[in-house]
Amino acid sequence: MLTTWVVAPTCLPLVVRRCHACSSERFRADGRFRVNANHKLLDVWLLALCAACGETTKLTVLERAHVRSVRPEVLDLFHHNDPGLAAEVLQDPVVRRRNRIALDWNNAWRLDTSGGPARPEQEVLDVSVRFAARIPVRPVRLIAEGCGLSRGEVERLDAAGKLVSTVRLSGRLSGDFTFLLKR
C-alpha cells in the first residue's frame, strides 16, 4: 500500500545575504512589500530585516516594469503584503539570482506523515514523498524522521540494499520521489 508523506513549509525561510551594517548573514522576510510608482513604471521590493541588528534590506522583485505588464490582482497582492506571494517570490530563481541570495530552510518546514511514523510490524513500506514547496532536504533525514529511525540506521539499510529508490539518497532533493523500505 502506497503511503504519501508531504514536506510542507511552516514559515518563510531565512534569506542568506551579508548585512552591510553588522556582517550578519541572515535576514527574516516577513512578507512586506514596498511598491514605488514613477509615472507608468513600477518598482517592487520585498523587505527583509537583519536577524542580528534589524537593518532593513530591499530584495528587488520588479524593476522599472510597465504598470500594464503587471496583472491587477498581483499588484493588489503586493499592496496588501500577501504572505503567499512573498513565499512565491522567494522561491523564484530569477529573484534569487538577481539579488544574489540563498534560502536557509532550517526549522522552516515539517514532514506530514498522515498518521504518525511507520509501524514496525510492516514488512515493506512503499512511500511517495511530495514537496509542497521547493525545500532542499536530505532524503535520508526525511526517511529517518518519518520512520522513527536514526540517520545512521537509514544509511545502513541503504547500504544493505533494503532501501530502494529511483533517486540518489545522498545529497539534497527538493522534488518529489518514492522509496521502498524492506525490513
Side-chain angles (χ1 to χ4, degrees), residues 65-107:
H66 198 278
V67 173
R68 292 185 186 214
S69 69
V70 181
R71 294 191 327 257
E73 57 272 6
V74 174
L75 186 58
D76 193 42
L77 292 175
F78 283 135
H79 283 296
H80 289 97
N81 297 323
D82 184 63
L85 183 60
E88 193 176 313
V89 164
L90 283 174
Q91 291 284 319
D92 188 1
V94 174
V95 171
R96 290 199 324 250
R97 189 172 33 253
R98 177 188 297 149
N99 292 287
R100 290 186 224 104
I101 62 170
L103 300 178
D104 180 5
W105 282 98
N106 288 337
N107 302 320

mmCIF file of all heavy atoms in Angstrom, residues 65-107:
data_model
loop_
_atom_site.group_PDB
_atom_site.id
_atom_site.type_symbol
_atom_site.label_atom_id
_atom_site.label_comp_id
_atom_site.label_asym_id
_atom_site.label_seq_id
_atom_site.Cartn_x
_atom_site.Cartn_y
_atom_site.Cartn_z
ATOM 1 N N ALA A 65 9.192 48.085 -14.263
ATOM 2 C CA ALA A 65 8.191 47.338 -15.029
ATOM 3 C C ALA A 65 7.043 48.273 -15.387
ATOM 4 O O ALA A 65 6.609 49.087 -14.564
ATOM 5 C CB ALA A 65 7.664 46.162 -14.221
ATOM 6 N N HIS A 66 6.553 48.171 -16.595
ATOM 7 C CA HIS A 66 5.416 48.988 -17.008
ATOM 8 C C HIS A 66 4.188 48.548 -16.215
ATOM 9 O O HIS A 66 3.967 47.359 -15.989
ATOM 10 C CB HIS A 66 5.169 48.840 -18.506
ATOM 11 C CG HIS A 66 4.330 49.937 -19.068
ATOM 12 N ND1 HIS A 66 2.967 49.935 -18.983
ATOM 13 C CD2 HIS A 66 4.673 51.091 -19.689
ATOM 14 C CE1 HIS A 66 2.489 51.028 -19.539
ATOM 15 N NE2 HIS A 66 3.515 51.748 -19.988
ATOM 16 N N VAL A 67 3.378 49.515 -15.780
ATOM 17 C CA VAL A 67 2.216 49.238 -14.938
ATOM 18 C C VAL A 67 1.287 48.222 -15.589
ATOM 19 O O VAL A 67 0.770 47.320 -14.926
ATOM 20 C CB VAL A 67 1.454 50.547 -14.623
ATOM 21 C CG1 VAL A 67 0.155 50.253 -13.906
ATOM 22 C CG2 VAL A 67 2.310 51.474 -13.800
ATOM 23 N N ARG A 68 1.089 48.332 -16.876
ATOM 24 C CA ARG A 68 0.162 47.416 -17.565
ATOM 25 C C ARG A 68 0.711 46.006 -17.736
ATOM 26 O O ARG A 68 -0.029 45.099 -18.086
ATOM 27 C CB ARG A 68 -0.229 47.999 -18.913
ATOM 28 C CG ARG A 68 -1.072 49.237 -18.736
ATOM 29 C CD ARG A 68 -1.563 49.746 -20.037
ATOM 30 N NE ARG A 68 -2.254 51.015 -19.801
ATOM 31 C CZ ARG A 68 -3.289 51.394 -20.482
ATOM 32 N NH1 ARG A 68 -3.761 50.645 -21.429
ATOM 33 N NH2 ARG A 68 -3.854 52.543 -20.212
ATOM 34 N N SER A 69 2.001 45.824 -17.503
ATOM 35 C CA SER A 69 2.573 44.480 -17.622
ATOM 36 C C SER A 69 2.336 43.642 -16.362
ATOM 37 O O SER A 69 2.546 42.436 -16.374
ATOM 38 C CB SER A 69 4.072 44.570 -17.908
ATOM 39 O OG SER A 69 4.759 45.053 -16.773
ATOM 40 N N VAL A 70 1.900 44.292 -15.275
ATOM 41 C CA VAL A 70 1.620 43.588 -14.021
ATOM 42 C C VAL A 70 0.110 43.406 -13.897
ATOM 43 O O VAL A 70 -0.645 44.376 -13.978
ATOM 44 C CB VAL A 70 2.150 44.399 -12.807
ATOM 45 C CG1 VAL A 70 1.871 43.654 -11.510
ATOM 46 C CG2 VAL A 70 3.626 44.671 -12.968
ATOM 47 N N ARG A 71 -0.314 42.154 -13.720
ATOM 48 C CA ARG A 71 -1.753 41.891 -13.589
ATOM 49 C C ARG A 71 -2.300 42.635 -12.373
ATOM 50 O O ARG A 71 -1.650 42.685 -11.325
ATOM 51 C CB ARG A 71 -2.005 40.388 -13.441
ATOM 52 C CG ARG A 71 -1.649 39.599 -14.682
ATOM 53 C CD ARG A 71 -2.142 38.153 -14.634
ATOM 54 N NE ARG A 71 -2.165 37.558 -13.325
ATOM 55 C CZ ARG A 71 -1.271 36.690 -12.865
ATOM 56 N NH1 ARG A 71 -0.271 36.327 -13.610
ATOM 57 N NH2 ARG A 71 -1.390 36.181 -11.663
ATOM 58 N N PRO A 72 -3.503 43.214 -12.490
ATOM 59 C CA PRO A 72 -4.070 43.995 -11.372
ATOM 60 C C PRO A 72 -4.211 43.208 -10.076
ATOM 61 O O PRO A 72 -3.979 43.749 -8.990
ATOM 62 C CB PRO A 72 -5.443 44.431 -11.900
ATOM 63 C CG PRO A 72 -5.338 44.350 -13.370
ATOM 64 C CD PRO A 72 -4.348 43.269 -13.677
ATOM 65 N N GLU A 73 -4.562 41.913 -10.154
ATOM 66 C CA GLU A 73 -4.705 41.123 -8.929
ATOM 67 C C GLU A 73 -3.357 40.894 -8.243
ATOM 68 O O GLU A 73 -3.276 40.855 -7.019
ATOM 69 C CB GLU A 73 -5.443 39.808 -9.180
ATOM 70 C CG GLU A 73 -4.836 38.911 -10.227
ATOM 71 C CD GLU A 73 -5.310 39.184 -11.646
ATOM 72 O OE1 GLU A 73 -6.048 40.143 -11.890
ATOM 73 O OE2 GLU A 73 -4.904 38.406 -12.539
ATOM 74 N N VAL A 74 -2.282 40.760 -9.025
ATOM 75 C CA VAL A 74 -0.950 40.601 -8.442
ATOM 76 C C VAL A 74 -0.500 41.915 -7.808
ATOM 77 O O VAL A 74 0.050 41.927 -6.705
ATOM 78 C CB VAL A 74 0.067 40.126 -9.510
ATOM 79 C CG1 VAL A 74 1.485 40.112 -8.948
ATOM 80 C CG2 VAL A 74 -0.313 38.746 -10.023
ATOM 81 N N LEU A 75 -0.768 43.022 -8.479
ATOM 82 C CA LEU A 75 -0.431 44.326 -7.921
ATOM 83 C C LEU A 75 -1.177 44.571 -6.602
ATOM 84 O O LEU A 75 -0.613 45.099 -5.641
ATOM 85 C CB LEU A 75 -0.752 45.428 -8.934
ATOM 86 C CG LEU A 75 -0.317 46.842 -8.560
ATOM 87 C CD1 LEU A 75 1.179 46.902 -8.308
ATOM 88 C CD2 LEU A 75 -0.718 47.803 -9.659
ATOM 89 N N ASP A 76 -2.422 44.124 -6.553
ATOM 90 C CA ASP A 76 -3.211 44.247 -5.324
ATOM 91 C C ASP A 76 -2.590 43.405 -4.200
ATOM 92 O O ASP A 76 -2.553 43.834 -3.044
ATOM 93 C CB ASP A 76 -4.653 43.819 -5.593
ATOM 94 C CG ASP A 76 -5.591 44.221 -4.475
ATOM 95 O OD1 ASP A 76 -5.458 45.352 -3.972
ATOM 96 O OD2 ASP A 76 -6.451 43.394 -4.108
ATOM 97 N N LEU A 77 -2.083 42.216 -4.538
ATOM 98 C CA LEU A 77 -1.417 41.376 -3.534
ATOM 99 C C LEU A 77 -0.143 42.046 -3.020
ATOM 100 O O LEU A 77 0.174 41.964 -1.830
ATOM 101 C CB LEU A 77 -1.103 39.995 -4.112
ATOM 102 C CG LEU A 77 -2.308 39.104 -4.413
ATOM 103 C CD1 LEU A 77 -1.862 37.826 -5.100
ATOM 104 C CD2 LEU A 77 -3.080 38.791 -3.154
ATOM 105 N N PHE A 78 0.598 42.713 -3.913
ATOM 106 C CA PHE A 78 1.784 43.462 -3.479
ATOM 107 C C PHE A 78 1.384 44.550 -2.485
ATOM 108 O O PHE A 78 2.015 44.731 -1.456
ATOM 109 C CB PHE A 78 2.501 44.108 -4.663
ATOM 110 C CG PHE A 78 3.335 43.171 -5.487
ATOM 111 C CD1 PHE A 78 3.278 43.204 -6.867
ATOM 112 C CD2 PHE A 78 4.202 42.258 -4.897
ATOM 113 C CE1 PHE A 78 4.059 42.358 -7.646
ATOM 114 C CE2 PHE A 78 4.985 41.401 -5.656
ATOM 115 C CZ PHE A 78 4.905 41.450 -7.040
ATOM 116 N N HIS A 79 0.326 45.284 -2.809
ATOM 117 C CA HIS A 79 -0.117 46.381 -1.947
ATOM 118 C C HIS A 79 -0.615 45.890 -0.585
ATOM 119 O O HIS A 79 -0.492 46.595 0.408
ATOM 120 C CB HIS A 79 -1.229 47.191 -2.620
ATOM 121 C CG HIS A 79 -0.721 48.124 -3.668
ATOM 122 N ND1 HIS A 79 0.112 49.179 -3.392
ATOM 123 C CD2 HIS A 79 -0.930 48.166 -5.006
ATOM 124 C CE1 HIS A 79 0.395 49.828 -4.504
ATOM 125 N NE2 HIS A 79 -0.215 49.232 -5.501
ATOM 126 N N HIS A 80 -1.172 44.682 -0.536
ATOM 127 C CA HIS A 80 -1.713 44.150 0.719
ATOM 128 C C HIS A 80 -0.742 43.201 1.431
ATOM 129 O O HIS A 80 -1.148 42.483 2.360
ATOM 130 C CB HIS A 80 -3.052 43.455 0.463
ATOM 131 C CG HIS A 80 -4.143 44.424 0.136
ATOM 132 N ND1 HIS A 80 -4.508 44.716 -1.153
ATOM 133 C CD2 HIS A 80 -4.908 45.194 0.932
ATOM 134 C CE1 HIS A 80 -5.469 45.618 -1.141
ATOM 135 N NE2 HIS A 80 -5.729 45.929 0.117
ATOM 136 N N ASN A 81 0.512 43.177 0.998
ATOM 137 C CA ASN A 81 1.562 42.378 1.659
ATOM 138 C C ASN A 81 1.158 40.922 1.854
ATOM 139 O O ASN A 81 1.210 40.384 2.966
ATOM 140 C CB ASN A 81 1.948 43.002 3.006
ATOM 141 C CG ASN A 81 2.548 44.370 2.843
ATOM 142 O OD1 ASN A 81 3.285 44.627 1.896
ATOM 143 N ND2 ASN A 81 2.215 45.264 3.751
ATOM 144 N N ASP A 82 0.768 40.275 0.782
ATOM 145 C CA ASP A 82 0.311 38.886 0.841
ATOM 146 C C ASP A 82 1.475 37.946 1.166
ATOM 147 O O ASP A 82 2.465 37.901 0.421
ATOM 148 C CB ASP A 82 -0.323 38.499 -0.496
ATOM 149 C CG ASP A 82 -0.903 37.114 -0.461
ATOM 150 O OD1 ASP A 82 -1.846 36.902 0.325
ATOM 151 O OD2 ASP A 82 -0.420 36.245 -1.210
ATOM 152 N N PRO A 83 1.393 37.176 2.284
ATOM 153 C CA PRO A 83 2.495 36.274 2.640
ATOM 154 C C PRO A 83 2.677 35.123 1.644
ATOM 155 O O PRO A 83 3.793 34.646 1.445
ATOM 156 C CB PRO A 83 2.108 35.749 4.023
ATOM 157 C CG PRO A 83 0.676 36.064 4.199
ATOM 158 C CD PRO A 83 0.335 37.185 3.275
ATOM 159 N N GLY A 84 1.598 34.688 0.996
ATOM 160 C CA GLY A 84 1.712 33.637 -0.019
ATOM 161 C C GLY A 84 2.513 34.117 -1.217
ATOM 162 O O GLY A 84 3.325 33.369 -1.780
ATOM 163 N N LEU A 85 2.295 35.353 -1.602
ATOM 164 C CA LEU A 85 3.066 35.931 -2.707
ATOM 165 C C LEU A 85 4.523 36.107 -2.302
ATOM 166 O O LEU A 85 5.424 35.896 -3.109
ATOM 167 C CB LEU A 85 2.450 37.265 -3.139
ATOM 168 C CG LEU A 85 3.115 37.945 -4.324
ATOM 169 C CD1 LEU A 85 3.065 37.064 -5.566
ATOM 170 C CD2 LEU A 85 2.460 39.284 -4.605
ATOM 171 N N ALA A 86 4.771 36.463 -1.046
ATOM 172 C CA ALA A 86 6.149 36.589 -0.564
ATOM 173 C C ALA A 86 6.876 35.246 -0.649
ATOM 174 O O ALA A 86 8.033 35.182 -1.068
ATOM 175 C CB ALA A 86 6.170 37.111 0.865
ATOM 176 N N ALA A 87 6.196 34.171 -0.272
ATOM 177 C CA ALA A 87 6.790 32.835 -0.372
ATOM 178 C C ALA A 87 7.073 32.476 -1.825
ATOM 179 O O ALA A 87 8.125 31.908 -2.147
ATOM 180 C CB ALA A 87 5.861 31.804 0.259
ATOM 181 N N GLU A 88 6.149 32.822 -2.697
ATOM 182 C CA GLU A 88 6.325 32.551 -4.127
ATOM 183 C C GLU A 88 7.497 33.351 -4.692
ATOM 184 O O GLU A 88 8.293 32.831 -5.481
ATOM 185 C CB GLU A 88 5.028 32.924 -4.857
ATOM 186 C CG GLU A 88 4.927 32.430 -6.260
ATOM 187 C CD GLU A 88 3.568 32.760 -6.860
ATOM 188 O OE1 GLU A 88 2.548 32.515 -6.190
ATOM 189 O OE2 GLU A 88 3.557 33.264 -7.993
ATOM 190 N N VAL A 89 7.620 34.603 -4.282
ATOM 191 C CA VAL A 89 8.716 35.462 -4.750
ATOM 192 C C VAL A 89 10.060 34.909 -4.278
ATOM 193 O O VAL A 89 11.024 34.870 -5.046
ATOM 194 C CB VAL A 89 8.501 36.915 -4.265
ATOM 195 C CG1 VAL A 89 9.767 37.735 -4.383
ATOM 196 C CG2 VAL A 89 7.377 37.566 -5.048
ATOM 197 N N LEU A 90 10.130 34.475 -3.022
ATOM 198 C CA LEU A 90 11.387 33.923 -2.511
ATOM 199 C C LEU A 90 11.781 32.633 -3.229
ATOM 200 O O LEU A 90 12.964 32.319 -3.343
ATOM 201 C CB LEU A 90 11.290 33.677 -1.008
ATOM 202 C CG LEU A 90 11.407 34.908 -0.123
ATOM 203 C CD1 LEU A 90 11.146 34.538 1.329
ATOM 204 C CD2 LEU A 90 12.755 35.572 -0.275
ATOM 205 N N GLN A 91 10.806 31.877 -3.710
ATOM 206 C CA GLN A 91 11.084 30.637 -4.425
ATOM 207 C C GLN A 91 11.535 30.876 -5.867
ATOM 208 O O GLN A 91 12.113 29.992 -6.488
ATOM 209 C CB GLN A 91 9.820 29.760 -4.460
ATOM 210 C CG GLN A 91 9.417 29.200 -3.136
ATOM 211 C CD GLN A 91 10.289 28.044 -2.728
ATOM 212 O OE1 GLN A 91 10.637 27.202 -3.543
ATOM 213 N NE2 GLN A 91 10.665 28.006 -1.478
ATOM 214 N N ASP A 92 11.270 32.065 -6.392
ATOM 215 C CA ASP A 92 11.571 32.374 -7.791
ATOM 216 C C ASP A 92 13.085 32.427 -8.016
ATOM 217 O O ASP A 92 13.771 33.258 -7.421
ATOM 218 C CB ASP A 92 10.928 33.708 -8.167
ATOM 219 C CG ASP A 92 11.027 34.010 -9.647
ATOM 220 O OD1 ASP A 92 11.578 33.182 -10.399
ATOM 221 O OD2 ASP A 92 10.553 35.087 -10.050
ATOM 222 N N PRO A 93 13.628 31.567 -8.890
ATOM 223 C CA PRO A 93 15.075 31.567 -9.111
ATOM 224 C C PRO A 93 15.587 32.871 -9.735
ATOM 225 O O PRO A 93 16.718 33.272 -9.492
ATOM 226 C CB PRO A 93 15.314 30.379 -10.039
ATOM 227 C CG PRO A 93 13.996 29.907 -10.479
ATOM 228 C CD PRO A 93 12.947 30.506 -9.611
ATOM 229 N N VAL A 94 14.749 33.555 -10.511
ATOM 230 C CA VAL A 94 15.162 34.821 -11.114
ATOM 231 C C VAL A 94 15.382 35.876 -10.034
ATOM 232 O O VAL A 94 16.370 36.615 -10.052
ATOM 233 C CB VAL A 94 14.112 35.300 -12.157
ATOM 234 C CG1 VAL A 94 14.449 36.681 -12.670
ATOM 235 C CG2 VAL A 94 14.005 34.309 -13.290
ATOM 236 N N VAL A 95 14.489 35.937 -9.063
ATOM 237 C CA VAL A 95 14.615 36.891 -7.961
ATOM 238 C C VAL A 95 15.842 36.547 -7.114
ATOM 239 O O VAL A 95 16.608 37.434 -6.719
ATOM 240 C CB VAL A 95 13.332 36.915 -7.100
ATOM 241 C CG1 VAL A 95 13.523 37.729 -5.836
ATOM 242 C CG2 VAL A 95 12.171 37.452 -7.907
ATOM 243 N N ARG A 96 16.053 35.272 -6.838
ATOM 244 C CA ARG A 96 17.208 34.871 -6.035
ATOM 245 C C ARG A 96 18.519 35.196 -6.747
ATOM 246 O O ARG A 96 19.471 35.670 -6.129
ATOM 247 C CB ARG A 96 17.130 33.386 -5.698
ATOM 248 C CG ARG A 96 16.019 33.076 -4.719
ATOM 249 C CD ARG A 96 16.167 31.740 -4.018
ATOM 250 N NE ARG A 96 16.712 30.680 -4.813
ATOM 251 C CZ ARG A 96 16.018 29.627 -5.249
ATOM 252 N NH1 ARG A 96 14.751 29.494 -4.956
ATOM 253 N NH2 ARG A 96 16.595 28.691 -5.950
ATOM 254 N N ARG A 97 18.573 34.961 -8.046
ATOM 255 C CA ARG A 97 19.791 35.244 -8.805
ATOM 256 C C ARG A 97 20.031 36.757 -8.912
ATOM 257 O O ARG A 97 21.148 37.229 -8.735
ATOM 258 C CB ARG A 97 19.691 34.612 -10.197
ATOM 259 C CG ARG A 97 20.962 34.642 -10.984
ATOM 260 C CD ARG A 97 20.910 33.849 -12.277
ATOM 261 N NE ARG A 97 19.621 33.809 -12.939
ATOM 262 C CZ ARG A 97 18.810 32.752 -12.977
ATOM 263 N NH1 ARG A 97 19.147 31.640 -12.390
ATOM 264 N NH2 ARG A 97 17.661 32.798 -13.605
ATOM 265 N N ARG A 98 18.973 37.518 -9.181
ATOM 266 C CA ARG A 98 19.092 38.973 -9.315
ATOM 267 C C ARG A 98 19.605 39.619 -8.028
ATOM 268 O O ARG A 98 20.406 40.540 -8.063
ATOM 269 C CB ARG A 98 17.742 39.583 -9.679
ATOM 270 C CG ARG A 98 17.779 41.108 -9.756
ATOM 271 C CD ARG A 98 16.412 41.702 -9.930
ATOM 272 N NE ARG A 98 15.821 41.279 -11.176
ATOM 273 C CZ ARG A 98 14.507 41.127 -11.354
ATOM 274 N NH1 ARG A 98 13.667 41.361 -10.370
ATOM 275 N NH2 ARG A 98 14.029 40.738 -12.518
ATOM 276 N N ASN A 99 19.140 39.118 -6.892
ATOM 277 C CA ASN A 99 19.517 39.687 -5.603
ATOM 278 C C ASN A 99 20.711 38.983 -4.946
ATOM 279 O O ASN A 99 21.109 39.348 -3.843
ATOM 280 C CB ASN A 99 18.323 39.656 -4.650
ATOM 281 C CG ASN A 99 17.245 40.606 -5.098
ATOM 282 O OD1 ASN A 99 17.397 41.807 -4.977
ATOM 283 N ND2 ASN A 99 16.151 40.072 -5.641
ATOM 284 N N ARG A 100 21.232 37.959 -5.596
ATOM 285 C CA ARG A 100 22.366 37.178 -5.088
ATOM 286 C C ARG A 100 22.113 36.687 -3.673
ATOM 287 O O ARG A 100 22.887 36.954 -2.744
ATOM 288 C CB ARG A 100 23.653 37.988 -5.155
ATOM 289 C CG ARG A 100 24.129 38.209 -6.554
ATOM 290 C CD ARG A 100 25.486 38.889 -6.569
ATOM 291 N NE ARG A 100 25.473 39.929 -7.582
ATOM 292 C CZ ARG A 100 25.378 41.234 -7.307
ATOM 293 N NH1 ARG A 100 25.330 41.649 -6.072
ATOM 294 N NH2 ARG A 100 25.367 42.113 -8.279
ATOM 295 N N ILE A 101 20.996 35.978 -3.506
ATOM 296 C CA ILE A 101 20.632 35.446 -2.192
ATOM 297 C C ILE A 101 20.457 33.934 -2.269
ATOM 298 O O ILE A 101 20.296 33.371 -3.351
ATOM 299 C CB ILE A 101 19.326 36.076 -1.649
ATOM 300 C CG1 ILE A 101 18.147 35.757 -2.568
ATOM 301 C CG2 ILE A 101 19.488 37.554 -1.420
ATOM 302 C CD1 ILE A 101 16.794 36.136 -1.998
ATOM 303 N N ALA A 102 20.482 33.308 -1.121
ATOM 304 C CA ALA A 102 20.144 31.893 -0.970
ATOM 305 C C ALA A 102 19.112 31.811 0.153
ATOM 306 O O ALA A 102 18.900 32.782 0.880
ATOM 307 C CB ALA A 102 21.384 31.074 -0.637
ATOM 308 N N LEU A 103 18.477 30.663 0.278
ATOM 309 C CA LEU A 103 17.462 30.481 1.314
ATOM 310 C C LEU A 103 17.937 29.449 2.325
ATOM 311 O O LEU A 103 18.513 28.427 1.966
ATOM 312 C CB LEU A 103 16.137 30.030 0.702
ATOM 313 C CG LEU A 103 15.514 30.984 -0.311
ATOM 314 C CD1 LEU A 103 14.234 30.393 -0.868
ATOM 315 C CD2 LEU A 103 15.251 32.334 0.301
ATOM 316 N N ASP A 104 17.686 29.726 3.593
ATOM 317 C CA ASP A 104 18.022 28.826 4.683
ATOM 318 C C ASP A 104 16.715 28.247 5.221
ATOM 319 O O ASP A 104 15.946 28.934 5.889
ATOM 320 C CB ASP A 104 18.769 29.588 5.773
ATOM 321 C CG ASP A 104 19.143 28.706 6.955
ATOM 322 O OD1 ASP A 104 18.914 27.476 6.892
ATOM 323 O OD2 ASP A 104 19.657 29.249 7.944
ATOM 324 N N TRP A 105 16.446 26.966 4.919
ATOM 325 C CA TRP A 105 15.186 26.327 5.284
ATOM 326 C C TRP A 105 15.242 25.634 6.643
ATOM 327 O O TRP A 105 14.285 24.960 7.017
ATOM 328 C CB TRP A 105 14.784 25.313 4.222
ATOM 329 C CG TRP A 105 14.198 25.951 3.020
ATOM 330 C CD1 TRP A 105 14.834 26.242 1.851
ATOM 331 C CD2 TRP A 105 12.852 26.394 2.850
ATOM 332 N NE1 TRP A 105 13.963 26.836 0.977
ATOM 333 C CE2 TRP A 105 12.738 26.939 1.563
ATOM 334 C CE3 TRP A 105 11.725 26.384 3.676
ATOM 335 C CZ2 TRP A 105 11.549 27.458 1.075
ATOM 336 C CZ3 TRP A 105 10.539 26.895 3.196
ATOM 337 C CH2 TRP A 105 10.467 27.422 1.901
ATOM 338 N N ASN A 106 16.322 25.775 7.412
ATOM 339 C CA ASN A 106 16.402 25.132 8.733
ATOM 340 C C ASN A 106 15.255 25.606 9.610
ATOM 341 O O ASN A 106 15.013 26.797 9.744
ATOM 342 C CB ASN A 106 17.731 25.433 9.405
ATOM 343 C CG ASN A 106 18.873 24.688 8.753
ATOM 344 O OD1 ASN A 106 18.662 23.668 8.118
ATOM 345 N ND2 ASN A 106 20.062 25.212 8.885
ATOM 346 N N ASN A 107 14.543 24.668 10.205
ATOM 347 C CA ASN A 107 13.405 24.922 11.110
ATOM 348 C C ASN A 107 12.262 25.685 10.438
ATOM 349 O O ASN A 107 11.502 26.367 11.113
ATOM 350 C CB ASN A 107 13.860 25.674 12.363
ATOM 351 C CG ASN A 107 14.925 24.926 13.109
ATOM 352 O OD1 ASN A 107 14.850 23.715 13.232
ATOM 353 N ND2 ASN A 107 15.937 25.631 13.574
#
